[in-house]
Amino acid sequence: MPTNDVIRFAAVGDLHCTKGSAGTLRGLFAEAAKAADALLLCGDLTDYGLAEEAKVLADELSVVSVPIVAVLGNHDFESGTPEEVTRILGTVGVKVLDGEALEVHGVGIAGAKGFCGGFGRGALGPWGETAIKHFVQEALHETMKLESALAKLRTPHRLALLHYAPIVGTVEGEPVDIFPFLGSSRLEEPLLRYPVDAVFHGHAHRGTLEARTINGVPVYNVAKPLLARSRPGQPPFRLVELPREVSRERSDAAEVGP
Ligand SMILES: [Fe+2]
Ligand SMILES: [Fe+2]
């Protein structure tokens, strides 16, 4: 239960809401809202990015009385109208971040979808065909969005929301062949320049629950299928608490049950 000296965030991604999901998600959302002071959604909110799916999700989210902050995922782009998904979710108060930042209960939250391209020495470089350069440019563009959002935050405690993974650690468990499509280590660079208390992402349904950036920031893969499979018997969301006191250190971020 929420207490006065901490602020709790419940995070989950990859809801993949379909037209048939009515009635299946509101129990999860109600439980998350009861356990936390804010709900964070890490993309692939819908399955095909359809307005009908977004309307079902908005209705399921209407039971949530705490602030809801989200980023979109690749699935939310499939029908070519991600702005419509954003608009519909906005009707029930969901703040969808696309390179923006906001404050919730005094905690700064920066959000962007991110993009793929691989990790470390395996990352795709902008060389050769124009199509390859465009692909890499998209990863750089999303990285700049994250960076500009982080740069705006002046709060003592900060969180970052992504859909794609910024580090390889939380995609491990997936087939190695598809690692380059699950995230980009370019997304880690702004997190080194503007450290946060925790990073949340989804997309890698068979990845790893938790790993750390080079500078030790916890990264949580909150893909709902991963949470459900890895922690049977627990509701599929990650609960992270931050101290309400403004003078505490960033290392105070702690994952708590469930
Ligand atoms: Fe997904
Ligand atoms: Fe995805």
Side-chain angles (χ1 to χ4, degrees), residues 14 16 43-44 74-75 163 202-205:
D14 300 273
H16 290 271
D44 284 359
N74 55 316
H75 278 247
H163 179 60
H203 191 56
H205 294 200

Side-chain angles (χ1 to χ4, degrees), residues 12-87:
V12 60
D14 300 273
L15 301 161
H16 290 271
C17 185
T18 68
K19 288 178 263 186
S21 297
T24 66
L25 292 167
R26 63 184 57 210
L28 165 64
F29 294 146
E31 198 168 356
K34 192 175 169 195
D37 301 294
L39 177 60
L40 309 177
L41 303 176
C42 289
D44 284 359
L45 311 176
T46 61
D47 211 20
Y48 283 85
L50 297 168
E52 296 95 316
E53 295 174 338
K55 285 176 188 163
V56 170
L57 180 59
D59 193 44
E60 295 295 288
L61 284 167
S62 63
V63 300
V64 177
S65 55
V66 298
I68 307 169
V69 184
V71 293
L72 299 183
N74 55 316
H75 278 247
D76 303 310
F77 280 70
E78 172 58 20
S79 297
T81 52
E83 65 286 346
E84 185 64 359
V85 173
T86 295
R87 187 194 67 76

Side-chain angles (χ1 to χ4, degrees), residues 131-160:
I132 294 285
K133 290 172 181 169
H134 285 164
F135 187 92
V136 174
Q137 186 56 44
E138 182 65 15
L140 293 169
H141 182 53
E142 287 291 323
T143 299
M144 282 189 283
K145 282 187 190 177
L146 175 63
E147 175 143 357
S148 69
L150 288 167
K152 288 175 191 141
L153 293 174
R154 295 287 179 271
T155 51
H157 294 287
R158 298 175 293 280
L159 298 171

